[in-house]
Amino acid sequence: MGTAKRASSRVQGVSALALLCAMAVLTAPGLAAGSAFAAPGTPAGPAAPAAPAPAPEPEGKSLEQVRKEIEDLYRQAGTATDAYNLAVGETKAQSERIVEIAKLVVAGQDRITGLKDRAGAAARAQYRSGGLPPGAALALSDSPSAYLDGAGRLRQGEKATTDLLSELNRTQTDLERYAKDAGALWQKMEENRVKQEAAKKEIEDKIKAAEALENRLAAEEKARLIQLEQEAQYKAQTAWLSSGAMKDVKGSATDAGKRAVQFATAQMGKPYEWGAEGPNSFDCSGLTSQAWLAAGRGIPRTSQEQLRLLPKVALKDMRPGDLIIYFDDASHVGMYVGDGAMVHAPRPGRNVTMAGAGSMPIKAVVRPDA
């Protein structure tokens, strides 16, 4: 995905809804659910923001149809981005493991060299003793007591030699296992490289197709397209709030949650870029993973892995800092910041911004600091 650099999108991408939310979140000390994104008619907060004025339809294919096509293409690119990020993460882990194995191999080879030296010394000592049978050595000995004492040391030496050879065999077996493990990891790395390349091509193809659709629009239509996006988000958020989804949400942020929210909101205005983890641009899960890393908690890199590995919480128990996973394929993630709002990196051509937590279909809520 290319990095969006148009300055105008930083202004256009933040709706009146998001501005009200940002003011409420940044001024609320507890970052708890409150007013800015409350359902219409909630006494504790201001009235819900007015819906954007309906955008006129262009001739031919409606602008709403174009918007949905573009949105679907970016959704598919988002899914491919998750696959790309997962492959990158797995390749990194495999590479680190190969480095560890290489260190073990070096240590094992050094150990084998030392064991061989000791075995050679034992063999030379036995050669110097003449290698006579015990009975003959006793008969030829000038001092039977000295012989018996030496025989005891010899038995100890034989045991030591046996132990040494056993250790040598174990070390050689370990080296063979290390080689086998390294080979398997190299194979996985190659498979992941293929996955990365395929995902990268799919991402680029989907983005090119979306950009081609958008570039065919006149400047006025592009402005109306943003208006339609905001209108669709507003409708979804209003329906979500009207369902009573926020009725029992009163959770307060933990200290770590506050730090994560502070990091995420501080990135607002920076462009979306697929595969990016900052500091100048982010994709959706790059933003959430880096925000929690800044809060002192390492979490999975992709939205799908965040869903799979982090503890799930009920919507009513949601608190600032929790992650909201969107769509059935878990291809998008945002961070709940309180007051019915979330901060996220939306898609190519848009910047990190704040939006209604219910402006997209919610799949689950997960908690990094459970």
Side-chain angles (χ1 to χ4, degrees), residues 84-109:
Y84 175 88
N85 289 337
L86 181 60
V88 169
E90 289 178 345
T91 298
K92 181 181 178 182
Q94 289 153 2
S95 178
E96 291 171 351
R97 178 57 183 157
I98 286 174
V99 171
E100 292 175 3
I101 289 176
K103 292 177 180 177
L104 291 172
V105 168
V106 170
Q109 289 172 337

mmCIF file of all heavy atoms in Angstrom, residues 84-109:
data_model
loop_
_atom_site.group_PDB
_atom_site.id
_atom_site.type_symbol
_atom_site.label_atom_id
_atom_site.label_comp_id
_atom_site.label_asym_id
_atom_site.label_seq_id
_atom_site.Cartn_x
_atom_site.Cartn_y
_atom_site.Cartn_z
ATOM 1 N N TYR A 84 0.256 -10.726 5.190
ATOM 2 C CA TYR A 84 1.637 -10.292 4.970
ATOM 3 C C TYR A 84 2.348 -10.067 6.305
ATOM 4 O O TYR A 84 3.469 -10.550 6.522
ATOM 5 C CB TYR A 84 1.642 -9.005 4.144
ATOM 6 C CG TYR A 84 3.020 -8.410 3.950
ATOM 7 C CD1 TYR A 84 3.819 -8.804 2.884
ATOM 8 C CD2 TYR A 84 3.521 -7.459 4.838
ATOM 9 C CE1 TYR A 84 5.090 -8.267 2.701
ATOM 10 C CE2 TYR A 84 4.790 -6.930 4.664
ATOM 11 C CZ TYR A 84 5.565 -7.330 3.597
ATOM 12 O OH TYR A 84 6.822 -6.795 3.426
ATOM 13 N N ASN A 85 1.703 -9.335 7.215
ATOM 14 C CA ASN A 85 2.317 -9.051 8.511
ATOM 15 C C ASN A 85 2.575 -10.327 9.303
ATOM 16 O O ASN A 85 3.589 -10.453 9.996
ATOM 17 C CB ASN A 85 1.417 -8.110 9.316
ATOM 18 C CG ASN A 85 1.401 -6.696 8.760
ATOM 19 O OD1 ASN A 85 2.333 -6.285 8.074
ATOM 20 N ND2 ASN A 85 0.345 -5.960 9.037
ATOM 21 N N LEU A 86 1.647 -11.289 9.214
ATOM 22 C CA LEU A 86 1.834 -12.560 9.927
ATOM 23 C C LEU A 86 3.034 -13.310 9.361
ATOM 24 O O LEU A 86 3.858 -13.847 10.118
ATOM 25 C CB LEU A 86 0.574 -13.408 9.809
ATOM 26 C CG LEU A 86 0.606 -14.759 10.537
ATOM 27 C CD1 LEU A 86 0.815 -14.569 12.040
ATOM 28 C CD2 LEU A 86 -0.681 -15.533 10.289
ATOM 29 N N ALA A 87 3.158 -13.345 8.031
ATOM 30 C CA ALA A 87 4.294 -14.024 7.409
ATOM 31 C C ALA A 87 5.608 -13.359 7.784
ATOM 32 O O ALA A 87 6.605 -14.026 8.048
ATOM 33 C CB ALA A 87 4.123 -14.047 5.887
ATOM 34 N N VAL A 88 5.607 -12.036 7.833
ATOM 35 C CA VAL A 88 6.813 -11.301 8.234
ATOM 36 C C VAL A 88 7.196 -11.650 9.668
ATOM 37 O O VAL A 88 8.366 -11.898 9.982
ATOM 38 C CB VAL A 88 6.603 -9.779 8.090
ATOM 39 C CG1 VAL A 88 7.739 -9.007 8.761
ATOM 40 C CG2 VAL A 88 6.512 -9.390 6.622
ATOM 41 N N GLY A 89 6.190 -11.670 10.550
ATOM 42 C CA GLY A 89 6.454 -11.986 11.952
ATOM 43 C C GLY A 89 6.991 -13.395 12.130
ATOM 44 O O GLY A 89 7.920 -13.627 12.908
ATOM 45 N N GLU A 90 6.410 -14.344 11.398
ATOM 46 C CA GLU A 90 6.860 -15.729 11.502
ATOM 47 C C GLU A 90 8.281 -15.876 10.948
ATOM 48 O O GLU A 90 9.104 -16.606 11.518
ATOM 49 C CB GLU A 90 5.897 -16.650 10.747
ATOM 50 C CG GLU A 90 4.547 -16.804 11.439
ATOM 51 C CD GLU A 90 3.593 -17.678 10.648
ATOM 52 O OE1 GLU A 90 3.863 -17.916 9.453
ATOM 53 O OE2 GLU A 90 2.582 -18.115 11.222
ATOM 54 N N THR A 91 8.569 -15.191 9.862
ATOM 55 C CA THR A 91 9.915 -15.247 9.290
ATOM 56 C C THR A 91 10.946 -14.686 10.261
ATOM 57 O O THR A 91 12.044 -15.247 10.421
ATOM 58 C CB THR A 91 9.965 -14.459 7.969
ATOM 59 O OG1 THR A 91 9.063 -15.062 7.033
ATOM 60 C CG2 THR A 91 11.369 -14.450 7.390
ATOM 61 N N LYS A 92 10.601 -13.607 10.920
ATOM 62 C CA LYS A 92 11.509 -13.010 11.897
ATOM 63 C C LYS A 92 11.784 -13.989 13.039
ATOM 64 O O LYS A 92 12.937 -14.170 13.457
ATOM 65 C CB LYS A 92 10.903 -11.721 12.454
ATOM 66 C CG LYS A 92 11.791 -11.017 13.468
ATOM 67 C CD LYS A 92 11.132 -9.754 13.996
ATOM 68 C CE LYS A 92 12.009 -9.090 15.050
ATOM 69 N NZ LYS A 92 11.348 -7.873 15.620
ATOM 70 N N ALA A 93 10.723 -14.632 13.543
ATOM 71 C CA ALA A 93 10.889 -15.598 14.638
ATOM 72 C C ALA A 93 11.745 -16.783 14.194
ATOM 73 O O ALA A 93 12.603 -17.270 14.946
ATOM 74 C CB ALA A 93 9.523 -16.074 15.122
ATOM 75 N N GLN A 94 11.520 -17.256 12.963
ATOM 76 C CA GLN A 94 12.298 -18.384 12.460
ATOM 77 C C GLN A 94 13.761 -17.999 12.264
ATOM 78 O O GLN A 94 14.673 -18.786 12.558
ATOM 79 C CB GLN A 94 11.682 -18.882 11.146
ATOM 80 C CG GLN A 94 10.356 -19.591 11.344
ATOM 81 C CD GLN A 94 9.459 -19.516 10.134
ATOM 82 O OE1 GLN A 94 9.824 -18.957 9.104
ATOM 83 N NE2 GLN A 94 8.249 -20.044 10.250
ATOM 84 N N SER A 95 13.987 -16.785 11.787
ATOM 85 C CA SER A 95 15.355 -16.320 11.601
ATOM 86 C C SER A 95 16.097 -16.237 12.937
ATOM 87 O O SER A 95 17.263 -16.641 13.042
ATOM 88 C CB SER A 95 15.341 -14.944 10.923
ATOM 89 O OG SER A 95 16.650 -14.446 10.774
ATOM 90 N N GLU A 96 15.404 -15.733 13.963
ATOM 91 C CA GLU A 96 16.016 -15.647 15.287
ATOM 92 C C GLU A 96 16.334 -17.036 15.833
ATOM 93 O O GLU A 96 17.376 -17.244 16.470
ATOM 94 C CB GLU A 96 15.085 -14.893 16.238
ATOM 95 C CG GLU A 96 14.959 -13.409 15.910
ATOM 96 C CD GLU A 96 13.878 -12.717 16.721
ATOM 97 O OE1 GLU A 96 13.106 -13.435 17.407
ATOM 98 O OE2 GLU A 96 13.792 -11.474 16.674
ATOM 99 N N ARG A 97 15.456 -17.999 15.571
ATOM 100 C CA ARG A 97 15.693 -19.363 16.035
ATOM 101 C C ARG A 97 16.879 -19.987 15.304
ATOM 102 O O ARG A 97 17.682 -20.723 15.910
ATOM 103 C CB ARG A 97 14.427 -20.205 15.820
ATOM 104 C CG ARG A 97 14.563 -21.656 16.218
ATOM 105 C CD ARG A 97 14.981 -21.836 17.662
ATOM 106 N NE ARG A 97 15.186 -23.243 18.004
ATOM 107 C CZ ARG A 97 15.941 -23.678 18.998
ATOM 108 N NH1 ARG A 97 16.585 -22.807 19.762
ATOM 109 N NH2 ARG A 97 16.059 -24.959 19.240
ATOM 110 N N ILE A 98 17.022 -19.701 14.020
ATOM 111 C CA ILE A 98 18.163 -20.221 13.270
ATOM 112 C C ILE A 98 19.471 -19.667 13.833
ATOM 113 O O ILE A 98 20.474 -20.378 13.937
ATOM 114 C CB ILE A 98 18.022 -19.885 11.769
ATOM 115 C CG1 ILE A 98 16.943 -20.787 11.140
ATOM 116 C CG2 ILE A 98 19.341 -20.058 11.036
ATOM 117 C CD1 ILE A 98 16.624 -20.451 9.708
ATOM 118 N N VAL A 99 19.477 -18.404 14.215
ATOM 119 C CA VAL A 99 20.669 -17.807 14.833
ATOM 120 C C VAL A 99 20.994 -18.534 16.140
ATOM 121 O O VAL A 99 22.158 -18.829 16.431
ATOM 122 C CB VAL A 99 20.457 -16.302 15.079
ATOM 123 C CG1 VAL A 99 21.593 -15.731 15.927
ATOM 124 C CG2 VAL A 99 20.367 -15.552 13.755
ATOM 125 N N GLU A 100 19.949 -18.818 16.936
ATOM 126 C CA GLU A 100 20.161 -19.551 18.192
ATOM 127 C C GLU A 100 20.751 -20.940 17.924
ATOM 128 O O GLU A 100 21.667 -21.389 18.620
ATOM 129 C CB GLU A 100 18.834 -19.695 18.946
ATOM 130 C CG GLU A 100 18.281 -18.395 19.490
ATOM 131 C CD GLU A 100 16.911 -18.568 20.114
ATOM 132 O OE1 GLU A 100 16.421 -19.724 20.160
ATOM 133 O OE2 GLU A 100 16.318 -17.563 20.543
ATOM 134 N N ILE A 101 20.206 -21.619 16.909
ATOM 135 C CA ILE A 101 20.707 -22.952 16.564
ATOM 136 C C ILE A 101 22.165 -22.875 16.117
ATOM 137 O O ILE A 101 22.987 -23.731 16.464
ATOM 138 C CB ILE A 101 19.826 -23.589 15.473
ATOM 139 C CG1 ILE A 101 18.464 -23.983 16.058
ATOM 140 C CG2 ILE A 101 20.517 -24.816 14.864
ATOM 141 C CD1 ILE A 101 17.490 -24.522 15.038
ATOM 142 N N ALA A 102 22.496 -21.852 15.332
ATOM 143 C CA ALA A 102 23.874 -21.696 14.869
ATOM 144 C C ALA A 102 24.836 -21.567 16.059
ATOM 145 O O ALA A 102 25.935 -22.144 16.050
ATOM 146 C CB ALA A 102 23.992 -20.477 13.963
ATOM 147 N N LYS A 103 24.410 -20.834 17.079
ATOM 148 C CA LYS A 103 25.237 -20.696 18.278
ATOM 149 C C LYS A 103 25.385 -22.039 18.990
ATOM 150 O O LYS A 103 26.474 -22.379 19.482
ATOM 151 C CB LYS A 103 24.620 -19.659 19.221
ATOM 152 C CG LYS A 103 24.665 -18.235 18.684
ATOM 153 C CD LYS A 103 23.979 -17.261 19.641
ATOM 154 C CE LYS A 103 24.016 -15.847 19.104
ATOM 155 N NZ LYS A 103 23.300 -14.896 19.996
ATOM 156 N N LEU A 104 24.302 -22.818 19.038
ATOM 157 C CA LEU A 104 24.364 -24.143 19.655
ATOM 158 C C LEU A 104 25.291 -25.067 18.872
ATOM 159 O O LEU A 104 26.016 -25.879 19.465
ATOM 160 C CB LEU A 104 22.954 -24.749 19.738
ATOM 161 C CG LEU A 104 21.981 -24.085 20.720
ATOM 162 C CD1 LEU A 104 20.578 -24.663 20.546
ATOM 163 C CD2 LEU A 104 22.448 -24.279 22.163
ATOM 164 N N VAL A 105 25.259 -24.960 17.550
ATOM 165 C CA VAL A 105 26.127 -25.800 16.720
ATOM 166 C C VAL A 105 27.594 -25.475 16.990
ATOM 167 O O VAL A 105 28.426 -26.376 17.138
ATOM 168 C CB VAL A 105 25.795 -25.605 15.224
ATOM 169 C CG1 VAL A 105 26.863 -26.225 14.340
ATOM 170 C CG2 VAL A 105 24.436 -26.220 14.903
ATOM 171 N N VAL A 106 27.915 -24.193 17.047
ATOM 172 C CA VAL A 106 29.301 -23.781 17.320
ATOM 173 C C VAL A 106 29.752 -24.316 18.675
ATOM 174 O O VAL A 106 30.846 -24.875 18.816
ATOM 175 C CB VAL A 106 29.434 -22.247 17.268
ATOM 176 C CG1 VAL A 106 30.805 -21.818 17.779
ATOM 177 C CG2 VAL A 106 29.219 -21.748 15.849
ATOM 178 N N ALA A 107 28.875 -24.153 19.693
ATOM 179 C CA ALA A 107 29.207 -24.652 21.027
ATOM 180 C C ALA A 107 29.373 -26.175 21.015
ATOM 181 O O ALA A 107 30.287 -26.718 21.660
ATOM 182 C CB ALA A 107 28.121 -24.248 22.023
ATOM 183 N N GLY A 108 28.513 -26.873 20.270
ATOM 184 C CA GLY A 108 28.596 -28.328 20.187
ATOM 185 C C GLY A 108 29.873 -28.781 19.494
ATOM 186 O O GLY A 108 30.516 -29.752 19.918
ATOM 187 N N GLN A 109 30.252 -28.083 18.434
ATOM 188 C CA GLN A 109 31.483 -28.435 17.731
ATOM 189 C C GLN A 109 32.706 -28.215 18.622
ATOM 190 O O GLN A 109 33.647 -29.023 18.620
ATOM 191 C CB GLN A 109 31.596 -27.615 16.448
ATOM 192 C CG GLN A 109 30.595 -28.034 15.381
ATOM 193 C CD GLN A 109 30.583 -27.112 14.186
ATOM 194 O OE1 GLN A 109 30.976 -25.942 14.289
ATOM 195 N NE2 GLN A 109 30.139 -27.624 13.048
#
